[in-house]
Every structure is written in structure tokens, then in C-alpha cells.
């Protein structure tokens, strides 16, 4: 009954039932009072009969009539007072009874709500299966069961599409890889052919790994990541910076890599690598000539003020069960300089194809999927993504996830 206290429908039913009971009881008590009062004689006692003074017997009769009138008046007052008390008790009892009946009426709906909340993408096969008479409540439950059946079919079709698309995309990749092997295997291949084949093999490996990562990500949205192992965010950041040294030098960017902690977390290496790469790519591509990038990693201990706030600020973009303020967590922070940005526009960058404009994207070749992929990977790992504009200009991206012990057993993996 306590949970119904703040529910609008429960209050409405309580007021409705209580008012009906109160009006019915008040009408019945009023009717009884009026009928009881109409039967009482209201003769004017104490008046001698006409024609002379009253005899002794007549005076005795008059006294009796006077006493009877007083008794009737007292009974009328008692009846009125009792009726008022009965109405007051009825008012309290009516709303209490109304609340009990409202809870009884709404109980099936609460059961349906509780059962529906327990059903998620991982257990869409479950049904409410409400038993009972064929009334409106059962009709509602059957409608919800039908909706769950359609959702289950839709999710199953999505999984089949991802698996089939992954298989179909791997086929041309394997064909290209085989063609490269055939070209290199010819007698005395040209040096340019060998170098080109090596570069293409590297890119094919990246595409294959990325394709596998997307397949795992699609499955992770409906279950547990299959390859969760300790992964160092600092090592992934160092590898991404090394692979992008040419792009950084081309823009003459200065990089401050404060990778003071390994920042171990438990997750998929392929997906977390793509997360770090996308964040760093975003910092490079959307930077100006001669700009700067600051990259830090760390492990937030409970009560660590700044890190905890950065990792779980008000602008949380992922909505996952993130390491929150005052909780331990592994984090990656990437900051860039630039012009002052609008926080409302930045908050939308985690949605697919959202961009701040061509002056920030730098090229129409970028579709705006980078940060949306980052947000999806962070959510799959139960973390939080915070995109925060810097007051002096630029953007600060903080990805925070649950910490894990390093492979050598040290918590947090500090170097």
C-alpha cells in the first residue's frame, strides 16, 4: 500500500471509492434521522384544558406529558449528536476502505508492471502469462505479451542480419587477401607490388578486426561480451598515438601524453582499442593547425574528487552503470584546444551522424559516427562517456569504466 501513495491512479480510486461510501452513508444516516424525528410527538405540554382549572388527575396528566416531551427532546439531541459522530467516523472509514479497495483493484496492474520491468533484451522470451477471468486486465497482459513476441522476433532478425552481413563482408576480404598472396607469389615480383601488398594486408587486418568488433558489439547489446580480459587503456592510447604519428606531425600538433597509470579495465580488446582510436582520431581530425592534445589515463579511487567528477559529470552521455562520483574507475581523458563550443550541441555528438559543422569536422568525408561508436562501446562495458566543453575553448572527452586488476595481480596496474 505504501507504493500506491505517490501514484495518481491510486489516489483517484481512493477518492472515488471514499466519496461514494461517504455520500451513501451520509444519505442513509440523514434518512434515518428524519424518519425518527417525524414519529416524535411535539404537543405543547402544560396547557390546562379549556373550561376551568385543571383537576388533580388532569394536572398529573400534564406533568406526564411535560416529562414525555423532555424525553423526546433529549432523544432528538442524542440522535443528532450520534448522527454527526457517525458521519465523522464514516468519513474516515470510507477513505480507508477506499484506499484498501483501490490497492486491491490496482494489484494486478502492479504485478504486470513489475513483471514487465524484469523483462529486457536478454530475456525477451519471458511472458507475463496472466491467469484469471477474461477481463480488461488480462486483455492488457495479453497485449503486452504480443508486443514482447514481436520485439523478440525483431531482435532475432537483427542478430541474423548482423551475422549474415558479417559473413558476406568477410568473403570479399578473403578474396582480396588471396589475390594479394597470388600477386606476391609470382616469380620475381616488383618491389612496389610487395610493399603495396604489405600495406593492403595491414589495412585488411584492421578492417577484419573492426568488422569482428562491430559483430561483437551488436551481440554485446543483447548479452555479455564473450572476450572480457584485463585491458590497459594507457597501452591502447600509446599504440594509437604511435600509429597516428604522421597525421599528428602533418598538423604540427603538440601531444602531452600523461599516461601515468596503466588504467586496467575488463573488456573486449578489439572494442576498447576502437574506442581509444576513435577518441584520438576525433582529437586529431577536429583540431586546428599547430594545436595541442592532452591525453591522460588513471584509476580513480573512492573519494577522488576531480577524476570522479569528470568521469560521471552531469553531462553523462552513455547512461550506463558507470563508475560514479566517489567510486573507483579506470578512465581515459582526451582534451583539445580550440574555439568555445556549445554544450547542448556537444551533448548530441554521441548520436549517429551528428556533427558540429564543417568548420569543426574539417571534411565532409567524416560522417559523424566516431563518437557514437565510442558511446556504444562504453555502454556495452557498463561505463560512462562525458563530453564537456572547456570554458577557455575546446573539448574534454572522459571515458570511465570499472577498474580491473592487471595481469600481474596488482590492482589498477600502476606502472
Amino acid at each position: 500500500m505504501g507504493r500506491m501513495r505517490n501514484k495518481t491512479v491510486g489516489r483517484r480510486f481512493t477518492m472515488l471509492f471514499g466519496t461514494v461510501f461517504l455520500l451513501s452513508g451520509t444519505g442513509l444516516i440523514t434518512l434515518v434521522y428524519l424518519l425518527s424525528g417525524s414519529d416524535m410527538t411535539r404537543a405543547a405540554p402544560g396547557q390546562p384544558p379549556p373550561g376551568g382549572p385543571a383537576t388533580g388527575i388532569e394536572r398529573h396528566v400534564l406533568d406526564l406529558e411535560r416529562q414525555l416531551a423532555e424525553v423526546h427532546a433529549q432523544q432528538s439531541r442524542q440522535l443528532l449528536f450520534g448522527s454527526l459522530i457517525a458521519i465523522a467516523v464514516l468519513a474516515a472509514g470510507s477513505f480507508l476502505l477506499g484506499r484498501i479497495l483501490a490497492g486491491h483493484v490496482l494489484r494486478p496492474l502492479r504485478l504486470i508492471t513489475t513483471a514487465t520491468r524484469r523483462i529486457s533484451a536478454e530475456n525477451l522470451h519471458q511472458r507475463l502469462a496472466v491467469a484469471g477471468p477474461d477481463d480488461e486486465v488480462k486483455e492488457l497482459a495479453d497485449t503486452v505479451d504480443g508486443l514482447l513476441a514481436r520485439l523478440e522476433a525483431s531482435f532475432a532478425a537483427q542478430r541474423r542480419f548482423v551475422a549474415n552481413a558479417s559473413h558476406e563482408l568477410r568473403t570479399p576480404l578473403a578474396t582480396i587477401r588471396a589475390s594479394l598472396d597470388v600477386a606476391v607469389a609470382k616469380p620475381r615480383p616488383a618491389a612496389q607490388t610487395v610493399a603495396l601488398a604489405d600495406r593492403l594486408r595491414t589495412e585488411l587486418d584492421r578492417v577484419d578486426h573492426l568488422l569482428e568488433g562491430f559483430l561483437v558489439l551488436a551481440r554485446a547489446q543483447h548479452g555479455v561480451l564473450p572476450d572480457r580480459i584485463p585491458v590497459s587503456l594507457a597501452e591502447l592510447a600509446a599504440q594509437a598515438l604511435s600509429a597516428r604519428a604522421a597525421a599528428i606531425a602533418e598538423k604540427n600538433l603538440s601531444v602531452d601524453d600523461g599516461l601515468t597509470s596503466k588504467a586496467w579495465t575488463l573488456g573486449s580488446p578489439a572494442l576498447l582499442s576502437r574506442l581509444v582510436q576513435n577518441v584520438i582520431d576525433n582529437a586529431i581530425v577536429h583540431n586546428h593547425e599547430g594545436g595541442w592534445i592532452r591525453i591522460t589515463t588513471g584509476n580513480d579511487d573512492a573519494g577522488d574528487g576531480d577524476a570522479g567528477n569528470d568521469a560521471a559529470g552531469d553531462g553523462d552521455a552513455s547512461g550506463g552503470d558507470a563508475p560514479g562520483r566517489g567510486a573507483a574507475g579506470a578512465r581515459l581523458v582526451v582534451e583539445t584546444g580550440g574555439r568555445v563550443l556549445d554544450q547542448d550541441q556537444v551533448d548530441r555528438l554521441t548520436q549517429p551522424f551528428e556533427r558540429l559543422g564543417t568548420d569543426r569536422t574539417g571534411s565532409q568525408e567524416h560522417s559523424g559516427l566516431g563518437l557514437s561508436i565510442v558511446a556504444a562501446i562504453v555502454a556495452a562495458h557498463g561505463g560512462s562517456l562525458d563530453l564537456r566543453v572547456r570554458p577557455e575553448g575546446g573539448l574534454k572527452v572522459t571515458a570511465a569504466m570499472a577498474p580491473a586488476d592487471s595481469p600481474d595481480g596488482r590492482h589498477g596496474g600502476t606502472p
Side-chain angles (χ1 to χ4, degrees), residues 100-249:
I100 296 174
L101 290 179
H104 180 73
V105 171
L106 295 177
R107 183 174 179 272
L109 296 180
R110 290 201 301 271
L111 294 177
I112 293 176
T113 301
T114 302
T116 305
R117 285 175 177 170
R118 289 197 300 264
I119 299 176
S120 62
E122 289 78 22
N123 53 358
L124 283 175
H125 61 280
Q126 294 185 5
R127 298 294 182 266
L128 301 179
V130 173
D134 191 11
D135 54 9
E136 290 81 357
V137 175
K138 191 175 187 304
E139 183 180 0
L140 173 61
D142 293 341
T143 302
V144 174
D145 285 341
L147 175 62
L148 292 174
R150 293 191 295 272
L151 286 175
E152 183 182 14
S154 177
F155 275 78
Q158 182 185 16
R159 295 189 189 100
R160 288 194 300 269
F161 171 78
V162 171
N164 294 336
S166 175
H167 175 73
E168 294 298 329
L169 287 174
R170 284 197 179 96
T171 301
L173 291 178
T175 303
I176 296 174
R177 196 184 302 274
S179 300
L180 290 176
D181 294 338
V182 170
V184 175
K186 291 181 179 180
R188 294 186 299 276
Q192 293 180 348
T193 301
V194 175
L196 178 61
D198 291 339
R199 288 197 298 268
L200 287 178
R201 282 197 190 95
T202 301
E203 295 302 323
L204 286 174
D205 290 339
R206 290 181 179 178
V207 173
D208 192 49
H209 291 160
L210 178 60
L211 184 60
E212 179 65 24
F214 284 141
L215 179 61
V216 173
L217 176 60
R219 292 173 177 172
Q221 294 175 346
H222 313 295
V224 180
L225 293 174
D227 56 344
R228 296 177 77 96
I229 62 174
V231 180
S232 171
L233 298 179
E235 292 179 359
L236 295 179
Q239 295 171 5
L241 287 174
S242 177
R244 288 153 180 77
I248 293 173

Side-chain angles (χ1 to χ4, degrees), residues 241 245 247-257 283-284 287-295 334-337:
L241 287 174
I248 293 173
E250 183 180 353
K251 275 196 170 184
N252 193 25
L253 301 176
S254 61
V255 179
D256 178 11
D257 53 343
I284 296 174
N287 214 322
H288 56 83
E289 187 75 21
W292 58 271
I293 302 175
R294 183 183 300 118
I295 303 176
V334 178
E335 296 182 73
T336 57

